[in-house]
PDB file of all heavy atoms in Angstrom:
ATOM      1  N   THR A  17     110.578  85.695 146.116  1.00 96.00           N
ATOM      2  CA  THR A  17     111.566  86.669 145.582  1.00 96.00           C
ATOM      3  C   THR A  17     110.906  87.581 144.603  1.00 96.00           C
ATOM      4  O   THR A  17     109.714  87.386 144.199  1.00 96.00           O
ATOM      5  CB  THR A  17     112.698  85.918 144.808  1.00 96.00           C
ATOM      6  OG1 THR A  17     112.121  85.193 143.734  1.00 96.00           O
ATOM      7  CG2 THR A  17     113.392  84.908 145.763  1.00 96.00           C
ATOM      8  N   SER A  18     111.660  88.615 144.158  1.00 96.00           N
ATOM      9  CA  SER A  18     111.099  89.529 143.140  1.00 96.00           C
ATOM     10  C   SER A  18     110.766  88.813 141.861  1.00 96.00           C
ATOM     11  O   SER A  18     109.846  89.101 141.156  1.00 96.00           O
ATOM     12  CB  SER A  18     112.041  90.681 142.883  1.00 96.00           C
ATOM     13  OG  SER A  18     113.328  90.172 142.471  1.00 96.00           O
ATOM     14  N   GLN A  19     111.516  87.740 141.530  1.00 96.00           N
ATOM     15  CA  GLN A  19     111.283  86.948 140.335  1.00 96.00           C
ATOM     16  C   GLN A  19     109.892  86.190 140.493  1.00 96.00           C
ATOM     17  O   GLN A  19     109.116  86.132 139.551  1.00 96.00           O
ATOM     18  CB  GLN A  19     112.373  85.903 140.108  1.00 96.00           C
ATOM     19  CG  GLN A  19     112.187  85.109 138.839  1.00 96.00           C
ATOM     20  CD  GLN A  19     112.190  85.910 137.591  1.00 96.00           C
ATOM     21  OE1 GLN A  19     112.956  86.865 137.471  1.00 96.00           O
ATOM     22  NE2 GLN A  19     111.326  85.569 136.626  1.00 96.00           N
ATOM     23  N   ILE A  21     107.358  87.201 142.198  1.00 96.00           N
ATOM     24  CA  ILE A  21     106.339  88.229 142.085  1.00 96.00           C
ATOM     25  C   ILE A  21     106.095  88.569 140.654  1.00 96.00           C
ATOM     26  O   ILE A  21     104.996  88.681 140.166  1.00 96.00           O
ATOM     27  CB  ILE A  21     106.680  89.465 142.967  1.00 96.00           C
ATOM     28  CG1 ILE A  21     106.690  89.135 144.441  1.00 96.00           C
ATOM     29  CG2 ILE A  21     105.680  90.631 142.672  1.00 96.00           C
ATOM     30  CD1 ILE A  21     107.308  90.184 145.328  1.00 96.00           C
ATOM     31  N   ALA A  22     107.185  88.726 139.904  1.00 96.00           N
ATOM     32  CA  ALA A  22     107.075  89.092 138.463  1.00 96.00           C
ATOM     33  C   ALA A  22     106.385  87.954 137.699  1.00 96.00           C
ATOM     34  O   ALA A  22     105.516  88.221 136.852  1.00 96.00           O
ATOM     35  CB  ALA A  22     108.481  89.305 137.873  1.00 96.00           C
ATOM     36  N   LYS A  31     102.864  92.169 132.530  1.00 94.00           N
ATOM     37  CA  LYS A  31     104.272  91.896 132.310  1.00 94.00           C
ATOM     38  C   LYS A  31     105.067  93.036 132.941  1.00 94.00           C
ATOM     39  O   LYS A  31     104.946  94.187 132.571  1.00 94.00           O
ATOM     40  CB  LYS A  31     104.571  91.762 130.824  1.00 94.00           C
ATOM     41  CG  LYS A  31     105.980  91.278 130.567  1.00 94.00           C
ATOM     42  CD  LYS A  31     106.173  90.827 129.140  1.00 94.00           C
ATOM     43  CE  LYS A  31     107.500  90.465 128.792  1.00 94.00           C
ATOM     44  NZ  LYS A  31     107.988  89.221 129.406  1.00 94.00           N
ATOM     45  N   LEU A  32     105.917  92.663 133.902  1.00 92.00           N
ATOM     46  CA  LEU A  32     106.752  93.660 134.616  1.00 92.00           C
ATOM     47  C   LEU A  32     108.142  93.098 134.874  1.00 92.00           C
ATOM     48  O   LEU A  32     108.271  91.924 135.318  1.00 92.00           O
ATOM     49  CB  LEU A  32     106.026  93.934 135.947  1.00 92.00           C
ATOM     50  CG  LEU A  32     106.647  94.999 136.892  1.00 92.00           C
ATOM     51  CD1 LEU A  32     106.501  96.376 136.239  1.00 92.00           C
ATOM     52  CD2 LEU A  32     105.980  94.945 138.212  1.00 92.00           C
ATOM     53  N   GLU A  33     109.130  93.850 134.514  1.00 94.00           N
ATOM     54  CA  GLU A  33     110.474  93.370 134.672  1.00 94.00           C
ATOM     55  C   GLU A  33     110.812  93.252 136.153  1.00 94.00           C
ATOM     56  O   GLU A  33     110.455  94.106 136.998  1.00 94.00           O
ATOM     57  CB  GLU A  33     111.468  94.360 134.012  1.00 94.00           C
ATOM     58  CG  GLU A  33     111.313  94.415 132.480  1.00 94.00           C
ATOM     59  CD  GLU A  33     112.148  95.557 131.907  1.00 94.00           C
ATOM     60  OE1 GLU A  33     112.744  96.303 132.642  1.00 94.00           O
ATOM     61  OE2 GLU A  33     112.117  95.635 130.683  1.00 94.00           O
ATOM     62  N   ARG A  34     111.521  92.190 136.524  1.00 94.00           N
ATOM     63  CA  ARG A  34     111.885  91.926 137.873  1.00 94.00           C
ATOM     64  C   ARG A  34     112.646  93.080 138.518  1.00 94.00           C
ATOM     65  O   ARG A  34     112.463  93.407 139.672  1.00 94.00           O
ATOM     66  CB  ARG A  34     112.715  90.671 137.967  1.00 94.00           C
ATOM     67  CG  ARG A  34     113.223  90.273 139.327  1.00 94.00           C
ATOM     68  CD  ARG A  34     114.049  88.993 139.230  1.00 94.00           C
ATOM     69  NE  ARG A  34     115.175  89.140 138.359  1.00 94.00           N
ATOM     70  CZ  ARG A  34     116.399  89.402 138.733  1.00 94.00           C
ATOM     71  NH1 ARG A  34     116.685  89.549 140.026  1.00 94.00           N
ATOM     72  NH2 ARG A  34     117.406  89.442 137.899  1.00 94.00           N
ATOM     73  N   ARG A  35     113.477  93.772 137.714  1.00 95.00           N
ATOM     74  CA  ARG A  35     114.287  94.845 138.281  1.00 95.00           C
ATOM     75  C   ARG A  35     113.430  96.033 138.703  1.00 95.00           C
ATOM     76  O   ARG A  35     113.931  96.951 139.412  1.00 95.00           O
ATOM     77  CB  ARG A  35     115.334  95.243 137.248  1.00 95.00           C
ATOM     78  CG  ARG A  35     114.809  95.883 135.998  1.00 95.00           C
ATOM     79  CD  ARG A  35     115.940  96.205 135.014  1.00 95.00           C
ATOM     80  NE  ARG A  35     115.435  96.686 133.746  1.00 95.00           N
ATOM     81  CZ  ARG A  35     115.079  97.958 133.519  1.00 95.00           C
ATOM     82  NH1 ARG A  35     115.257  98.849 134.521  1.00 95.00           N
ATOM     83  NH2 ARG A  35     114.669  98.363 132.377  1.00 95.00           N
ATOM     84  N   ARG A  36     112.188  96.137 138.271  1.00 96.00           N
ATOM     85  CA  ARG A  36     111.326  97.218 138.647  1.00 96.00           C
ATOM     86  C   ARG A  36     110.633  97.007 140.006  1.00 96.00           C
ATOM     87  O   ARG A  36     109.996  97.844 140.589  1.00 96.00           O
ATOM     88  CB  ARG A  36     110.228  97.428 137.582  1.00 96.00           C
ATOM     89  CG  ARG A  36     110.776  97.960 136.292  1.00 96.00           C
ATOM     90  CD  ARG A  36     109.730  98.382 135.378  1.00 96.00           C
ATOM     91  NE  ARG A  36     110.213  98.975 134.153  1.00 96.00           N
ATOM     92  CZ  ARG A  36     110.491 100.223 133.948  1.00 96.00           C
ATOM     93  NH1 ARG A  36     110.321 101.106 134.929  1.00 96.00           N
ATOM     94  NH2 ARG A  36     110.943 100.662 132.778  1.00 96.00           N
ATOM     95  N   ILE A  37     110.839  95.760 140.541  1.00 97.00           N
ATOM     96  CA  ILE A  37     110.233  95.410 141.835  1.00 97.00           C
ATOM     97  C   ILE A  37     111.262  95.656 142.947  1.00 97.00           C
ATOM     98  O   ILE A  37     112.316  95.083 142.914  1.00 97.00           O
ATOM     99  CB  ILE A  37     109.754  93.907 141.830  1.00 97.00           C
ATOM    100  CG1 ILE A  37     108.742  93.746 140.716  1.00 97.00           C
ATOM    101  CG2 ILE A  37     109.210  93.534 143.195  1.00 97.00           C
ATOM    102  CD1 ILE A  37     108.418  92.267 140.436  1.00 97.00           C
ATOM    103  N   SER A  38     110.926  96.558 143.865  1.00 95.00           N
ATOM    104  CA  SER A  38     111.867  96.943 144.942  1.00 95.00           C
ATOM    105  C   SER A  38     111.577  96.022 146.140  1.00 95.00           C
ATOM    106  O   SER A  38     110.746  96.317 147.000  1.00 95.00           O
ATOM    107  CB  SER A  38     111.626  98.425 145.319  1.00 95.00           C
ATOM    108  OG  SER A  38     111.901  99.240 144.197  1.00 95.00           O
ATOM    109  N   LEU A  39     112.311  94.928 146.219  1.00 94.00           N
ATOM    110  CA  LEU A  39     112.200  94.030 147.326  1.00 94.00           C
ATOM    111  C   LEU A  39     113.620  93.907 147.919  1.00 94.00           C
ATOM    112  O   LEU A  39     114.503  93.299 147.326  1.00 94.00           O
ATOM    113  CB  LEU A  39     111.701  92.679 146.815  1.00 94.00           C
ATOM    114  CG  LEU A  39     111.382  91.608 147.875  1.00 94.00           C
ATOM    115  CD1 LEU A  39     110.303  92.068 148.797  1.00 94.00           C
ATOM    116  CD2 LEU A  39     110.980  90.314 147.171  1.00 94.00           C
ATOM    117  N   VAL A  51     105.318  96.184 148.712  1.00 96.00           N
ATOM    118  CA  VAL A  51     106.477  96.153 147.838  1.00 96.00           C
ATOM    119  C   VAL A  51     106.409  97.326 146.879  1.00 96.00           C
ATOM    120  O   VAL A  51     105.302  97.586 146.249  1.00 96.00           O
ATOM    121  CB  VAL A  51     106.480  94.826 147.057  1.00 96.00           C
ATOM    122  CG1 VAL A  51     107.641  94.803 146.053  1.00 96.00           C
ATOM    123  CG2 VAL A  51     106.594  93.621 147.982  1.00 96.00           C
ATOM    124  N   GLY A  52     107.488  98.020 146.675  1.00 96.00           N
ATOM    125  CA  GLY A  52     107.481  99.134 145.767  1.00 96.00           C
ATOM    126  C   GLY A  52     107.691  98.656 144.305  1.00 96.00           C
ATOM    127  O   GLY A  52     108.464  97.766 144.068  1.00 96.00           O
ATOM    128  N   ILE A  53     106.936  99.282 143.392  1.00 96.00           N
ATOM    129  CA  ILE A  53     107.058  98.969 141.968  1.00 96.00           C
ATOM    130  C   ILE A  53     107.427 100.291 141.250  1.00 96.00           C
ATOM    131  O   ILE A  53     106.680 101.241 141.317  1.00 96.00           O
ATOM    132  CB  ILE A  53     105.710  98.431 141.438  1.00 96.00           C
ATOM    133  CG1 ILE A  53     105.168  97.251 142.179  1.00 96.00           C
ATOM    134  CG2 ILE A  53     105.835  98.135 139.928  1.00 96.00           C
ATOM    135  CD1 ILE A  53     105.996  95.992 142.118  1.00 96.00           C
ATOM    136  N   ARG A  54     108.555 100.269 140.636  1.00 95.00           N
ATOM    137  CA  ARG A  54     108.985 101.479 139.855  1.00 95.00           C
ATOM    138  C   ARG A  54     108.334 101.463 138.495  1.00 95.00           C
ATOM    139  O   ARG A  54     108.668 100.666 137.597  1.00 95.00           O
ATOM    140  CB  ARG A  54     110.520 101.498 139.735  1.00 95.00           C
ATOM    141  CG  ARG A  54     111.181 101.881 140.963  1.00 95.00           C
ATOM    142  CD  ARG A  54     112.694 102.078 140.747  1.00 95.00           C
ATOM    143  NE  ARG A  54     113.279 101.116 139.842  1.00 95.00           N
ATOM    144  CZ  ARG A  54     113.917  99.995 140.176  1.00 95.00           C
ATOM    145  NH1 ARG A  54     114.104  99.701 141.452  1.00 95.00           N
ATOM    146  NH2 ARG A  54     114.360  99.180 139.252  1.00 95.00           N
ATOM    147  N   ILE A  55     107.367 102.352 138.325  1.00 91.00           N
ATOM    148  CA  ILE A  55     106.638 102.459 137.030  1.00 91.00           C
ATOM    149  C   ILE A  55     107.405 103.330 136.094  1.00 91.00           C
ATOM    150  O   ILE A  55     107.423 103.076 134.847  1.00 91.00           O
ATOM    151  CB  ILE A  55     105.177 103.032 137.358  1.00 91.00           C
ATOM    152  CG1 ILE A  55     104.500 102.078 138.229  1.00 91.00           C
ATOM    153  CG2 ILE A  55     104.488 103.255 136.024  1.00 91.00           C
ATOM    154  CD1 ILE A  55     103.182 102.569 138.753  1.00 91.00           C
ATOM    155  N   HIS A  56     108.075 104.342 136.615  1.00 91.00           N
ATOM    156  CA  HIS A  56     108.812 105.340 135.859  1.00 91.00           C
ATOM    157  C   HIS A  56     109.853 105.818 136.813  1.00 91.00           C
ATOM    158  O   HIS A  56     109.748 105.681 138.014  1.00 91.00           O
ATOM    159  CB  HIS A  56     107.830 106.484 135.508  1.00 91.00           C
ATOM    160  CG  HIS A  56     108.393 107.574 134.695  1.00 91.00           C
ATOM    161  ND1 HIS A  56     109.019 108.661 135.233  1.00 91.00           N
ATOM    162  CD2 HIS A  56     108.476 107.703 133.333  1.00 91.00           C
ATOM    163  CE1 HIS A  56     109.427 109.457 134.270  1.00 91.00           C
ATOM    164  NE2 HIS A  56     109.136 108.917 133.121  1.00 91.00           N
ATOM    165  N   PRO A  57     111.026 106.377 136.281  1.00 90.00           N
ATOM    166  CA  PRO A  57     112.040 106.811 137.200  1.00 90.00           C
ATOM    167  C   PRO A  57     111.567 107.696 138.389  1.00 90.00           C
ATOM    168  O   PRO A  57     112.130 107.708 139.449  1.00 90.00           O
ATOM    169  CB  PRO A  57     113.018 107.565 136.293  1.00 90.00           C
ATOM    170  CG  PRO A  57     112.875 106.928 134.984  1.00 90.00           C
ATOM    171  CD  PRO A  57     111.358 106.568 134.912  1.00 90.00           C
ATOM    172  N   THR A  60     106.687 105.692 141.669  1.00 95.00           N
ATOM    173  CA  THR A  60     106.699 104.400 142.377  1.00 95.00           C
ATOM    174  C   THR A  60     105.338 104.135 142.922  1.00 95.00           C
ATOM    175  O   THR A  60     104.768 104.988 143.556  1.00 95.00           O
ATOM    176  CB  THR A  60     107.753 104.361 143.494  1.00 95.00           C
ATOM    177  OG1 THR A  60     109.071 104.623 142.925  1.00 95.00           O
ATOM    178  CG2 THR A  60     107.841 102.974 144.171  1.00 95.00           C
TER     179      THR A  60
END
Side-chain angles (χ1 to χ4, degrees):
T17 65
S18 58
Q19 183 63 38
I21 295 168
K31 189 166 174 70
L32 184 68
E33 297 171 354
R34 177 180 59 99
R35 64 183 178 86
R36 293 190 177 270
I37 300 170
S38 300
L39 185 62
V51 177
I53 305 292
R54 286 188 321 262
I55 298 171
H56 182 271
T60 301

